[in-house]
Amino acid sequence: MSEPIVTYHSVNADPARAWVAYIDLGHDYLGIRFSGSSEEEAFVKATDFWAEKQAERDAAKASREAARLKAAQTRAQKGEAA
């Protein structure tokens, strides 16, 4: 899945924050904005944040799966012992 990053430019903002990026999650709202003096700077900040959070989600998912497998093995061993 590509990053759902939206960027826009404000002519009224301070030049160092003229470009803003945010992560579009559709109906869900993630109230975090990333700003920069260029579109690329704002986009990279948002993309890096998204990648970091995606890695955290992937690690949590793997941890849950490992716990589920361990629980299944434990249940199977208890069943064999009975």
Side-chain angles (χ1 to χ4, degrees):
M1 176 179 151
S2 65
E3 297 83 11
I5 309 297
V6 177
T7 60
Y8 61 92
H9 182 260
S10 172
V11 295
N12 298 323
D14 174 51
R17 300 178 60 141
W19 280 95
V20 176
Y22 65 93
I23 301 170
D24 183 4
L25 299 176
H27 295 294
D28 294 329
Y29 177 71
L30 180 64
I32 302 174
R33 302 279 192 256
F34 306 88
S35 61
S37 59
S38 68
E39 182 178 22
E40 180 180 7
E41 181 183 0
F43 184 84
V44 167
K45 287 178 182 179
T47 303
D48 288 350
F49 176 86
W50 184 250
E52 178 184 332
K53 295 303 175 187
Q54 186 64 48
E56 289 175 11
R57 288 188 296 274
D58 291 346
K61 182 177 177 182
S63 178
R64 287 190 306 270
E65 181 63 17
R68 187 190 68 74
L69 290 173
K70 184 175 180 181
Q73 290 171 347
T74 300
R75 285 190 303 273
Q77 288 172 353
K78 287 183 179 180
E80 291 172 5

